[in-house]
Amino acid sequence: MSDTAINLRDKLSRFAEHWSPRVVAEMNDYQFKLAKLQGEFVWHSHADTDEVFIVLEGEMTLEFRDKCVPMTAGEMYVVPKGVEHRPVAREECSVMLVEPRGVVNTGEAGGGYTAPNDVWV
Amino acid sequence: MSDTAINLRDKLSRFAEHWSPRVVAEMNDYQFKLAKLQGEFVWHSHADTDEVFIVLEGEMTLEFRDKCVPMTAGEMYVVPKGVEHRPVAREECSVMLVEPRGVVNTGEAGGGYTAPNDVWV
């Protein structure tokens, strides 16, 4: 058990890559990840799990096939399992993701945006 | 699926009670809860689950039997399952808790601080 809390701003300062989630904490078999987003991600879904987005800095849009949900710092959204979605951020946006250990960022889609999993910062 | 994100500041403005967690979202079988803390909570533990604290506003201390972890807005901590802890906040502090659905705020301890479970805001 750590003697200190996890400072999210400090953790964000330690990496610069976009679309490359970094794990900062585990709770049971779930992971809390930080990610920096800029541009348009790939359409994808996660067949086996919901996925939580919490915006920490900046703003983004969660695009779904039938709607767009704008999000700004201090807002969260739960993407239901199996639902296609695409995060889009005009300028850099920092988010926290919460999902089970082992979830890949591009879900079932794969492709060039697929990041290494379980990378801690 | 909602057309809008969950705004945490707006949700916090909708209740005033201390030590009375309100659910704002569910992901799989986990819940995201907001709580306002002030004063000293009861010592307790959760035998079956870790528990995440994320400080949204203000500051608090997570007391353990062998140490104290100070926390301020933008910091998080994972309390391991089975470990006795006590949140303490000199002035009002707002936090997000993440834990499986059904977890009672006082864990195994019970007593007057025990809040109704699964109350949404």
CSV table of all heavy atoms in Angstrom, one decimal, chain B residues 52-113:
chain,number,residue,atom,x,y,z
B,52,VAL,N,-12.2,2.6,-4.5
B,52,VAL,CA,-11.4,3.7,-5.0
B,52,VAL,C,-12.0,5.0,-4.5
B,52,VAL,O,-13.3,5.2,-4.5
B,52,VAL,CB,-11.5,3.7,-6.5
B,52,VAL,CG1,-11.1,5.0,-7.1
B,52,VAL,CG2,-10.5,2.7,-7.1
B,53,PHE,N,-11.2,5.9,-4.0
B,53,PHE,CA,-11.5,7.3,-3.7
B,53,PHE,C,-10.8,8.2,-4.7
B,53,PHE,O,-9.6,8.1,-5.0
B,53,PHE,CB,-11.0,7.7,-2.3
B,53,PHE,CG,-11.7,7.1,-1.2
B,53,PHE,CD1,-11.6,5.8,-0.8
B,53,PHE,CD2,-12.5,7.9,-0.4
B,53,PHE,CE1,-12.3,5.3,0.3
B,53,PHE,CE2,-13.2,7.4,0.7
B,53,PHE,CZ,-13.1,6.1,1.0
B,54,ILE,N,-11.6,9.1,-5.3
B,54,ILE,CA,-11.1,10.2,-6.2
B,54,ILE,C,-11.6,11.5,-5.6
B,54,ILE,O,-12.8,11.7,-5.5
B,54,ILE,CB,-11.6,10.0,-7.7
B,54,ILE,CG1,-11.2,8.6,-8.2
B,54,ILE,CG2,-11.0,11.1,-8.5
B,54,ILE,CD1,-11.8,8.3,-9.6
B,55,VAL,N,-10.7,12.4,-5.2
B,55,VAL,CA,-11.1,13.6,-4.6
B,55,VAL,C,-11.5,14.6,-5.8
B,55,VAL,O,-10.6,14.9,-6.7
B,55,VAL,CB,-10.0,14.2,-3.7
B,55,VAL,CG1,-10.5,15.6,-3.2
B,55,VAL,CG2,-9.7,13.3,-2.6
B,56,LEU,N,-12.7,15.2,-5.7
B,56,LEU,CA,-13.1,16.1,-6.8
B,56,LEU,C,-13.0,17.5,-6.3
B,56,LEU,O,-12.6,18.4,-7.1
B,56,LEU,CB,-14.6,15.8,-7.1
B,56,LEU,CG,-14.9,14.4,-7.6
B,56,LEU,CD1,-16.4,14.3,-7.9
B,56,LEU,CD2,-14.2,14.1,-8.9
B,57,GLU,N,-13.3,17.8,-5.1
B,57,GLU,CA,-13.2,19.2,-4.5
B,57,GLU,C,-12.7,19.1,-3.1
B,57,GLU,O,-13.2,18.3,-2.3
B,57,GLU,CB,-14.6,19.9,-4.6
B,57,GLU,CG,-15.1,20.1,-6.0
B,57,GLU,CD,-16.5,20.7,-6.0
B,57,GLU,OE1,-17.1,20.8,-4.9
B,57,GLU,OE2,-17.0,21.0,-7.0
B,58,GLY,N,-11.8,20.0,-2.7
B,58,GLY,CA,-11.4,20.1,-1.3
B,58,GLY,C,-10.3,19.1,-1.0
B,58,GLY,O,-9.6,18.6,-1.9
B,59,GLU,N,-10.1,18.8,0.3
B,59,GLU,CA,-9.1,17.8,0.6
B,59,GLU,C,-9.5,17.0,1.8
B,59,GLU,O,-10.4,17.4,2.6
B,59,GLU,CB,-7.8,18.6,1.0
B,59,GLU,CG,-7.9,19.7,1.9
B,59,GLU,CD,-6.7,20.6,1.9
B,59,GLU,OE1,-6.1,20.9,0.9
B,59,GLU,OE2,-6.2,20.8,3.1
B,60,MET,N,-8.9,15.8,1.9
B,60,MET,CA,-9.3,14.9,3.0
B,60,MET,C,-8.0,14.1,3.3
B,60,MET,O,-7.0,14.2,2.7
B,60,MET,CB,-10.4,13.9,2.5
B,60,MET,CG,-10.0,13.1,1.3
B,60,MET,SD,-11.1,11.8,0.8
B,60,MET,CE,-10.7,10.6,2.1
B,61,THR,N,-8.2,13.3,4.4
B,61,THR,CA,-7.1,12.3,4.7
B,61,THR,C,-7.7,10.9,4.8
B,61,THR,O,-8.8,10.7,5.4
B,61,THR,CB,-6.5,12.7,6.0
B,61,THR,OG1,-5.9,14.0,5.9
B,61,THR,CG2,-5.4,11.7,6.4
B,62,LEU,N,-7.1,10.0,4.2
B,62,LEU,CA,-7.4,8.6,4.4
B,62,LEU,C,-6.6,8.0,5.5
B,62,LEU,O,-5.4,7.9,5.3
B,62,LEU,CB,-7.2,7.7,3.1
B,62,LEU,CG,-8.4,7.6,2.2
B,62,LEU,CD1,-8.0,6.8,0.9
B,62,LEU,CD2,-9.6,6.9,2.9
B,63,GLU,N,-7.2,7.8,6.6
B,63,GLU,CA,-6.5,7.2,7.7
B,63,GLU,C,-6.5,5.7,7.7
B,63,GLU,O,-7.5,5.1,7.5
B,63,GLU,CB,-7.1,7.7,9.1
B,63,GLU,CG,-6.9,9.2,9.3
B,63,GLU,CD,-7.3,9.7,10.6
B,63,GLU,OE1,-7.7,8.8,11.5
B,63,GLU,OE2,-7.3,10.9,10.9
B,64,PHE,N,-5.3,5.1,7.9
B,64,PHE,CA,-5.2,3.7,8.1
B,64,PHE,C,-4.6,3.5,9.5
B,64,PHE,O,-4.1,4.4,10.1
B,64,PHE,CB,-4.2,3.1,7.0
B,64,PHE,CG,-4.8,3.3,5.6
B,64,PHE,CD1,-4.3,4.4,4.8
B,64,PHE,CD2,-5.7,2.5,5.1
B,64,PHE,CE1,-4.9,4.6,3.6
B,64,PHE,CE2,-6.3,2.7,3.8
B,64,PHE,CZ,-5.8,3.7,3.1
B,65,ARG,N,-4.6,2.3,10.0
B,65,ARG,CA,-4.1,2.0,11.3
B,65,ARG,C,-2.6,2.3,11.5
B,65,ARG,O,-2.1,2.6,12.6
B,65,ARG,CB,-4.4,0.5,11.7
B,65,ARG,CG,-5.9,0.2,11.9
B,65,ARG,CD,-6.5,1.0,13.0
B,65,ARG,NE,-7.9,0.5,13.3
B,65,ARG,CZ,-8.7,1.1,14.2
B,65,ARG,NH1,-8.3,2.2,14.8
B,65,ARG,NH2,-9.9,0.6,14.4
B,66,ASP,N,-1.9,2.3,10.3
B,66,ASP,CA,-0.4,2.5,10.4
B,66,ASP,C,0.1,3.7,9.7
B,66,ASP,O,1.3,4.0,9.6
B,66,ASP,CB,0.3,1.3,9.9
B,66,ASP,CG,0.0,1.0,8.4
B,66,ASP,OD1,-0.9,1.6,7.9
B,66,ASP,OD2,0.8,0.2,7.8
B,67,LYS,N,-0.9,4.5,9.1
B,67,LYS,CA,-0.4,5.7,8.3
B,67,LYS,C,-1.6,6.5,8.0
B,67,LYS,O,-2.8,6.1,8.0
B,67,LYS,CB,0.4,5.3,7.1
B,67,LYS,CG,-0.4,4.6,6.0
B,67,LYS,CD,0.5,4.3,4.9
B,67,LYS,CE,0.0,3.1,4.1
B,67,LYS,NZ,1.0,2.4,3.3
B,68,CYS,N,-1.3,7.8,7.5
B,68,CYS,CA,-2.3,8.7,7.0
B,68,CYS,C,-1.9,9.1,5.6
B,68,CYS,O,-0.7,9.5,5.4
B,68,CYS,CB,-2.4,9.9,7.9
B,68,CYS,SG,-3.1,9.6,9.5
B,69,VAL,N,-2.8,9.1,4.7
B,69,VAL,CA,-2.6,9.5,3.3
B,69,VAL,C,-3.4,10.8,3.0
B,69,VAL,O,-4.6,10.7,2.9
B,69,VAL,CB,-2.9,8.4,2.3
B,69,VAL,CG1,-2.7,8.9,0.9
B,69,VAL,CG2,-2.1,7.1,2.6
B,70,PRO,N,-2.7,11.9,2.9
B,70,PRO,CA,-3.4,13.2,2.6
B,70,PRO,C,-3.8,13.2,1.1
B,70,PRO,O,-3.0,12.7,0.3
B,70,PRO,CB,-2.4,14.3,2.9
B,70,PRO,CG,-1.1,13.6,2.8
B,70,PRO,CD,-1.3,12.1,3.1
B,71,MET,N,-5.0,13.7,0.8
B,71,MET,CA,-5.4,13.7,-0.6
B,71,MET,C,-6.1,15.1,-0.9
B,71,MET,O,-6.8,15.6,0.0
B,71,MET,CB,-6.5,12.6,-0.8
B,71,MET,CG,-6.0,11.2,-0.6
B,71,MET,SD,-7.3,10.0,-0.9
B,71,MET,CE,-7.5,10.2,-2.7
B,72,THR,N,-5.8,15.6,-2.1
B,72,THR,CA,-6.5,16.8,-2.5
B,72,THR,C,-7.1,16.6,-3.9
B,72,THR,O,-7.0,15.5,-4.5
B,72,THR,CB,-5.4,17.9,-2.5
B,72,THR,OG1,-6.1,19.2,-2.8
B,72,THR,CG2,-4.4,17.7,-3.6
B,73,ALA,N,-7.8,17.6,-4.3
B,73,ALA,CA,-8.6,17.5,-5.6
B,73,ALA,C,-7.7,17.0,-6.7
B,73,ALA,O,-6.5,17.5,-6.9
B,73,ALA,CB,-9.3,18.8,-6.0
B,74,GLY,N,-8.1,16.1,-7.5
B,74,GLY,CA,-7.3,15.5,-8.6
B,74,GLY,C,-6.4,14.3,-8.2
B,74,GLY,O,-5.6,13.9,-8.9
B,75,GLU,N,-6.6,13.8,-7.0
B,75,GLU,CA,-5.9,12.7,-6.5
B,75,GLU,C,-6.8,11.5,-6.2
B,75,GLU,O,-7.9,11.7,-5.8
B,75,GLU,CB,-5.0,13.0,-5.3
B,75,GLU,CG,-3.9,14.1,-5.6
B,75,GLU,CD,-3.0,14.3,-4.5
B,75,GLU,OE1,-3.4,14.2,-3.3
B,75,GLU,OE2,-1.8,14.6,-4.8
B,76,MET,N,-6.2,10.3,-6.4
B,76,MET,CA,-7.0,9.1,-6.1
B,76,MET,C,-6.2,8.1,-5.3
B,76,MET,O,-5.0,8.2,-5.2
B,76,MET,CB,-7.5,8.5,-7.4
B,76,MET,CG,-6.4,7.9,-8.3
B,76,MET,SD,-7.1,7.1,-9.8
B,76,MET,CE,-7.9,5.7,-9.2
B,77,TYR,N,-6.9,7.2,-4.7
B,77,TYR,CA,-6.3,6.1,-3.9
B,77,TYR,C,-7.1,4.9,-3.9
B,77,TYR,O,-8.4,5.0,-3.9
B,77,TYR,CB,-6.1,6.6,-2.4
B,77,TYR,CG,-5.1,5.8,-1.6
B,77,TYR,CD1,-3.7,6.1,-1.6
B,77,TYR,CD2,-5.5,4.6,-0.9
B,77,TYR,CE1,-2.8,5.3,-1.0
B,77,TYR,CE2,-4.6,3.9,-0.2
B,77,TYR,CZ,-3.2,4.2,-0.3
B,77,TYR,OH,-2.3,3.5,0.4
B,78,VAL,N,-6.5,3.7,-4.0
B,78,VAL,CA,-7.2,2.4,-3.9
B,78,VAL,C,-7.0,1.8,-2.5
B,78,VAL,O,-5.9,1.5,-2.2
B,78,VAL,CB,-6.7,1.5,-5.0
B,78,VAL,CG1,-7.5,0.2,-5.0
B,78,VAL,CG2,-6.7,2.1,-6.4
B,79,VAL,N,-8.1,1.7,-1.8
B,79,VAL,CA,-8.1,1.1,-0.5
B,79,VAL,C,-8.2,-0.4,-0.7
B,79,VAL,O,-9.2,-0.9,-1.2
B,79,VAL,CB,-9.2,1.5,0.5
B,79,VAL,CG1,-9.2,0.8,1.8
B,79,VAL,CG2,-9.1,3.0,0.7
B,80,PRO,N,-7.2,-1.2,-0.4
B,80,PRO,CA,-7.3,-2.7,-0.6
B,80,PRO,C,-8.4,-3.3,0.2
B,80,PRO,O,-8.7,-2.9,1.3
B,80,PRO,CB,-5.9,-3.2,-0.2
B,80,PRO,CG,-5.0,-2.0,-0.2
B,80,PRO,CD,-5.9,-0.9,0.2
B,81,LYS,N,-9.0,-4.4,-0.3
B,81,LYS,CA,-10.0,-5.1,0.4
B,81,LYS,C,-9.5,-5.6,1.8
B,81,LYS,O,-8.3,-6.0,1.9
B,81,LYS,CB,-10.6,-6.2,-0.4
B,81,LYS,CG,-9.7,-7.4,-0.7
B,81,LYS,CD,-10.5,-8.4,-1.5
B,81,LYS,CE,-9.6,-9.6,-1.9
B,81,LYS,NZ,-10.3,-10.6,-2.7
B,82,GLY,N,-10.4,-5.5,2.8
B,82,GLY,CA,-10.0,-6.0,4.1
B,82,GLY,C,-9.2,-5.1,4.9
B,82,GLY,O,-8.9,-5.4,6.1
B,83,VAL,N,-8.8,-3.9,4.4
B,83,VAL,CA,-7.9,-3.0,5.2
B,83,VAL,C,-8.8,-1.9,5.8
B,83,VAL,O,-9.5,-1.2,5.2
B,83,VAL,CB,-6.9,-2.3,4.2
B,83,VAL,CG1,-6.1,-1.3,5.0
B,83,VAL,CG2,-5.9,-3.4,3.6
B,84,GLU,N,-8.6,-1.8,7.2
B,84,GLU,CA,-9.4,-0.8,7.9
B,84,GLU,C,-9.0,0.6,7.5
B,84,GLU,O,-7.8,0.8,7.4
B,84,GLU,CB,-9.1,-1.0,9.4
B,84,GLU,CG,-10.0,-2.0,10.1
B,84,GLU,CD,-9.9,-1.8,11.6
B,84,GLU,OE1,-8.8,-2.0,12.1
B,84,GLU,OE2,-11.0,-1.5,12.2
B,85,HIS,N,-10.0,1.4,7.3
B,85,HIS,CA,-9.7,2.8,6.9
B,85,HIS,C,-10.7,3.7,7.5
B,85,HIS,O,-11.8,3.3,7.9
B,85,HIS,CB,-9.5,2.9,5.4
B,85,HIS,CG,-10.8,2.5,4.7
B,85,HIS,ND1,-11.1,1.2,4.5
B,85,HIS,CD2,-11.7,3.3,4.1
B,85,HIS,CE1,-12.2,1.2,3.8
B,85,HIS,NE2,-12.6,2.4,3.5
B,86,ARG,N,-10.4,5.0,7.5
B,86,ARG,CA,-11.3,6.0,8.0
B,86,ARG,C,-11.1,7.3,7.2
B,86,ARG,O,-10.0,7.9,7.4
B,86,ARG,CB,-11.1,6.2,9.5
B,86,ARG,CG,-12.0,7.3,10.1
B,86,ARG,CD,-11.9,7.4,11.6
B,86,ARG,NE,-10.7,8.1,12.0
B,86,ARG,CZ,-10.6,8.8,13.1
B,86,ARG,NH1,-11.6,8.9,13.9
B,86,ARG,NH2,-9.5,9.5,13.4
B,87,PRO,N,-12.0,7.8,6.4
B,87,PRO,CA,-11.9,9.1,5.8
B,87,PRO,C,-12.1,10.2,6.8
B,87,PRO,O,-13.1,10.1,7.6
B,87,PRO,CB,-13.0,9.1,4.7
B,87,PRO,CG,-13.6,7.7,4.7
B,87,PRO,CD,-13.2,7.1,6.0
B,88,VAL,N,-11.3,11.2,6.7
B,88,VAL,CA,-11.4,12.4,7.6
B,88,VAL,C,-11.3,13.6,6.8
B,88,VAL,O,-10.4,13.7,6.0
B,88,VAL,CB,-10.3,12.3,8.7
B,88,VAL,CG1,-10.4,13.6,9.5
B,88,VAL,CG2,-10.5,11.1,9.6
B,89,ALA,N,-12.2,14.6,7.0
B,89,ALA,CA,-12.1,15.9,6.2
B,89,ALA,C,-12.4,17.0,7.2
B,89,ALA,O,-13.5,17.1,7.8
B,89,ALA,CB,-13.1,15.9,5.1
B,90,ARG,N,-11.4,17.9,7.4
B,90,ARG,CA,-11.6,19.0,8.3
B,90,ARG,C,-12.7,19.9,7.8
B,90,ARG,O,-13.6,20.3,8.5
B,90,ARG,CB,-10.3,19.8,8.4
B,90,ARG,CG,-10.3,20.7,9.6
B,90,ARG,CD,-8.9,21.2,9.9
B,90,ARG,NE,-7.9,20.2,9.9
B,90,ARG,CZ,-6.6,20.5,10.2
B,90,ARG,NH1,-6.2,21.7,10.3
B,90,ARG,NH2,-5.7,19.5,10.2
B,91,GLU,N,-12.6,20.2,6.5
B,91,GLU,CA,-13.7,21.0,5.8
B,91,GLU,C,-14.4,20.1,4.8
B,91,GLU,O,-13.9,19.1,4.4
B,91,GLU,CB,-13.1,22.3,5.2
B,91,GLU,CG,-12.5,23.2,6.2
B,91,GLU,CD,-11.9,24.5,5.6
B,91,GLU,OE1,-12.3,24.8,4.5
B,91,GLU,OE2,-11.1,25.1,6.3
B,92,GLU,N,-15.5,20.6,4.3
B,92,GLU,CA,-16.3,19.7,3.3
B,92,GLU,C,-15.4,19.4,2.1
B,92,GLU,O,-14.7,20.2,1.5
B,92,GLU,CB,-17.5,20.4,2.9
B,92,GLU,CG,-18.4,19.5,2.0
B,92,GLU,CD,-19.7,20.2,1.6
B,92,GLU,OE1,-19.7,20.9,0.6
B,92,GLU,OE2,-20.7,19.9,2.3
B,93,CYS,N,-15.5,18.1,1.8
B,93,CYS,CA,-14.7,17.5,0.7
B,93,CYS,C,-15.6,16.7,-0.2
B,93,CYS,O,-16.5,15.9,0.4
B,93,CYS,CB,-13.6,16.7,1.2
B,93,CYS,SG,-12.6,15.8,0.0
B,94,SER,N,-15.5,16.8,-1.5
B,94,SER,CA,-16.4,16.0,-2.4
B,94,SER,C,-15.5,14.9,-3.1
B,94,SER,O,-14.5,15.2,-3.6
B,94,SER,CB,-17.1,16.9,-3.4
B,94,SER,OG,-17.9,17.8,-2.8
B,95,VAL,N,-16.0,13.7,-3.1
B,95,VAL,CA,-15.3,12.6,-3.6
B,95,VAL,C,-16.1,11.8,-4.6
B,95,VAL,O,-17.4,11.8,-4.5
B,95,VAL,CB,-14.7,11.7,-2.6
B,95,VAL,CG1,-13.8,12.4,-1.6
B,95,VAL,CG2,-15.8,11.0,-1.8
B,96,MET,N,-15.5,11.1,-5.5
B,96,MET,CA,-16.1,10.0,-6.2
B,96,MET,C,-15.6,8.7,-5.7
B,96,MET,O,-14.4,8.5,-5.5
B,96,MET,CB,-15.8,10.1,-7.7
B,96,MET,CG,-16.3,9.0,-8.5
B,96,MET,SD,-15.9,9.1,-10.3
B,96,MET,CE,-17.2,10.2,-10.8
B,97,LEU,N,-16.5,7.8,-5.5
B,97,LEU,CA,-16.2,6.4,-5.0
B,97,LEU,C,-16.5,5.4,-6.1
B,97,LEU,O,-17.5,5.6,-6.8
B,97,LEU,CB,-17.0,6.0,-3.8
B,97,LEU,CG,-17.0,7.0,-2.6
B,97,LEU,CD1,-18.0,6.6,-1.6
B,97,LEU,CD2,-15.6,7.0,-2.0
B,98,VAL,N,-15.6,4.4,-6.3
B,98,VAL,CA,-15.9,3.4,-7.3
B,98,VAL,C,-15.8,2.1,-6.6
B,98,VAL,O,-14.8,1.8,-6.0
B,98,VAL,CB,-14.9,3.5,-8.5
B,98,VAL,CG1,-15.3,2.5,-9.6
B,98,VAL,CG2,-14.8,4.9,-9.0
B,99,GLU,N,-16.9,1.3,-6.7
B,99,GLU,CA,-16.9,0.0,-6.0
B,99,GLU,C,-18.0,-0.9,-6.6
B,99,GLU,O,-18.9,-0.3,-7.3
B,99,GLU,CB,-17.0,0.2,-4.5
B,99,GLU,CG,-18.2,1.0,-4.1
B,99,GLU,CD,-18.1,1.6,-2.7
B,99,GLU,OE1,-17.1,1.4,-2.1
B,99,GLU,OE2,-19.1,2.2,-2.3
B,100,PRO,N,-18.0,-2.2,-6.3
B,100,PRO,CA,-19.1,-3.0,-6.9
B,100,PRO,C,-20.5,-2.6,-6.3
B,100,PRO,O,-20.6,-2.1,-5.2
B,100,PRO,CB,-18.7,-4.4,-6.4
B,100,PRO,CG,-17.3,-4.3,-6.1
B,100,PRO,CD,-17.0,-3.0,-5.6
B,101,ARG,N,-21.5,-2.8,-7.1
B,101,ARG,CA,-22.9,-2.5,-6.7
B,101,ARG,C,-23.1,-3.3,-5.4
B,101,ARG,O,-22.7,-4.4,-5.3
B,101,ARG,CB,-23.8,-3.0,-7.8
B,101,ARG,CG,-25.3,-2.5,-7.5
B,101,ARG,CD,-26.2,-3.2,-8.6
B,101,ARG,NE,-25.8,-2.8,-9.9
B,101,ARG,CZ,-25.6,-3.7,-10.9
B,101,ARG,NH1,-25.7,-5.0,-10.7
B,101,ARG,NH2,-25.2,-3.3,-12.1
B,102,GLY,N,-23.7,-2.6,-4.4
B,102,GLY,CA,-24.1,-3.3,-3.2
B,102,GLY,C,-23.2,-3.1,-2.0
B,102,GLY,O,-23.5,-3.5,-0.9
B,103,VAL,N,-22.1,-2.4,-2.2
B,103,VAL,CA,-21.2,-2.2,-1.1
B,103,VAL,C,-21.8,-1.1,-0.2
B,103,VAL,O,-22.2,-0.1,-0.6
B,103,VAL,CB,-19.8,-1.7,-1.6
B,103,VAL,CG1,-18.9,-1.2,-0.5
B,103,VAL,CG2,-19.1,-2.8,-2.3
B,104,VAL,N,-21.8,-1.4,1.1
B,104,VAL,CA,-22.3,-0.5,2.1
B,104,VAL,C,-21.2,0.4,2.6
B,104,VAL,O,-20.1,0.0,2.8
B,104,VAL,CB,-23.0,-1.3,3.3
B,104,VAL,CG1,-23.4,-0.3,4.4
B,104,VAL,CG2,-24.1,-2.1,2.7
B,105,ASN,N,-21.5,1.7,2.8
B,105,ASN,CA,-20.5,2.7,3.1
B,105,ASN,C,-19.7,2.4,4.4
B,105,ASN,O,-18.5,2.7,4.5
B,105,ASN,CB,-21.1,4.1,3.2
B,105,ASN,CG,-22.0,4.3,4.3
B,105,ASN,OD1,-22.7,3.4,4.8
B,105,ASN,ND2,-22.1,5.6,4.8
B,106,THR,N,-20.3,1.8,5.4
B,106,THR,CA,-19.6,1.5,6.6
B,106,THR,C,-19.0,0.0,6.7
B,106,THR,O,-18.5,-0.4,7.7
B,106,THR,CB,-20.6,1.7,7.8
B,106,THR,OG1,-21.8,0.9,7.6
B,106,THR,CG2,-20.9,3.1,8.1
B,107,GLY,N,-19.1,-0.7,5.5
B,107,GLY,CA,-18.5,-2.0,5.4
B,107,GLY,C,-19.0,-2.9,6.5
B,107,GLY,O,-20.2,-3.1,6.7
B,108,GLU,N,-18.1,-3.5,7.2
B,108,GLU,CA,-18.4,-4.5,8.3
B,108,GLU,C,-18.8,-3.8,9.6
B,108,GLU,O,-19.2,-4.4,10.6
B,108,GLU,CB,-17.2,-5.4,8.6
B,108,GLU,CG,-16.4,-5.7,7.3
B,108,GLU,CD,-17.1,-6.7,6.5
B,108,GLU,OE1,-17.4,-7.8,7.0
B,108,GLU,OE2,-17.3,-6.4,5.3
B,109,ALA,N,-18.6,-2.5,9.7
B,109,ALA,CA,-18.7,-1.8,11.0
B,109,ALA,C,-20.2,-1.5,11.4
B,109,ALA,O,-20.5,-1.5,12.6
B,109,ALA,CB,-17.9,-0.5,11.0
B,110,GLY,N,-21.0,-1.2,10.4
B,110,GLY,CA,-22.4,-0.7,10.7
B,110,GLY,C,-22.4,0.6,11.5
B,110,GLY,O,-21.4,1.3,11.5
B,111,GLY,N,-23.5,0.8,12.3
B,111,GLY,CA,-23.6,2.0,13.1
B,111,GLY,C,-24.3,3.1,12.5
B,111,GLY,O,-24.8,3.0,11.4
B,112,GLY,N,-24.3,4.3,13.1
B,112,GLY,CA,-25.1,5.4,12.8
B,112,GLY,C,-24.8,6.0,11.4
B,112,GLY,O,-25.6,6.7,10.8
B,113,TYR,N,-23.5,5.8,11.0
B,113,TYR,CA,-23.1,6.4,9.7
B,113,TYR,C,-23.6,5.6,8.5
B,113,TYR,O,-23.4,6.0,7.4
B,113,TYR,CB,-21.6,6.6,9.7
B,113,TYR,CG,-21.1,7.8,10.4
B,113,TYR,CD1,-20.2,7.7,11.5
B,113,TYR,CD2,-21.4,9.1,9.9
B,113,TYR,CE1,-19.7,8.8,12.1
B,113,TYR,CE2,-20.9,10.2,10.6
B,113,TYR,CZ,-20.1,10.1,11.6
B,113,TYR,OH,-19.6,11.2,12.3
